Amino acid sequence: MNHSEWKTRRSRKLLGETVEESAAYIEAGYAFALGRAVYDRRTTLGLSQTEPARRADMTQPQISNIEGGDSVPTLALLTRLAKALDAALTIDLDGDASAFVFTAHDHGHPKEAPPNGRSTAA
């Protein structure tokens, strides 16, 4: 294929052509989407990268790497990060689509206790 025949992935999709995406491309998209969600939540709170890093027992460069889509943290680290950002993290991986959503904790209304008074959350 010569240069004049080359089309971007986006152009091919817009033209209705089938576009096969490599596993690395899909993983990079997940990392980027997660990074964007972390950045959005952090800036909504008005925090520098240093503060959530401190709260999550991480370093500022680690936060920067996550926000830049350069690394994918473990589930344990995501749990600490969500807590540091005072939010719940919902991850939805469904085929070609992915969503990472931080939902702020509602501190104004106490949660209703389970009927037996015990929690089943980990």
Side-chain angles (χ1 to χ4, degrees):
M1 168 186 326
N2 67 38
H3 184 6
S4 64
E5 296 172 354
W6 181 81
K7 297 177 195 167
T8 64
R9 178 181 313 281
R10 183 176 182 276
S11 297
R12 292 192 321 239
K13 280 186 176 182
L14 290 172
L15 292 171
E17 296 177 14
T18 301
V19 178
E20 295 205 22
E21 297 173 339
S22 70
Y25 183 85
I26 293 168
E27 288 177 23
Y30 293 158
F32 180 78
L34 172 62
R36 185 63 195 201
V38 171
Y39 171 83
D40 289 346
R41 178 64 184 154
R42 179 180 62 77
T43 57
T44 295
L45 294 172
L47 301 175
S48 68
Q49 291 179 341
T50 305
E51 183 57 21
R54 183 192 63 76
R55 293 177 184 180
D57 195 28
M58 299 170 63
T59 64
Q60 178 275 324
Q62 286 175 301
I63 297 290
S64 179
N65 285 339
I66 292 168
E67 288 185 2
D70 297 328
S71 73
V72 178
T74 63
L75 290 175
L77 195 90
L78 286 174
T79 302
R80 292 193 338 249
L81 188 56
K83 184 176 180 180
L85 294 172
D86 193 26
L89 174 59
T90 302
I91 302 172
D92 183 8
L93 304 174
D94 187 14
D96 293 339
S98 64
F100 299 85
V101 179
F102 284 97
T103 305
H105 290 140
D106 183 9
H107 295 292
H109 306 295
K111 292 183 180 179
E112 186 175 310
N116 63 2
R118 295 184 185 162
S119 173
T120 57

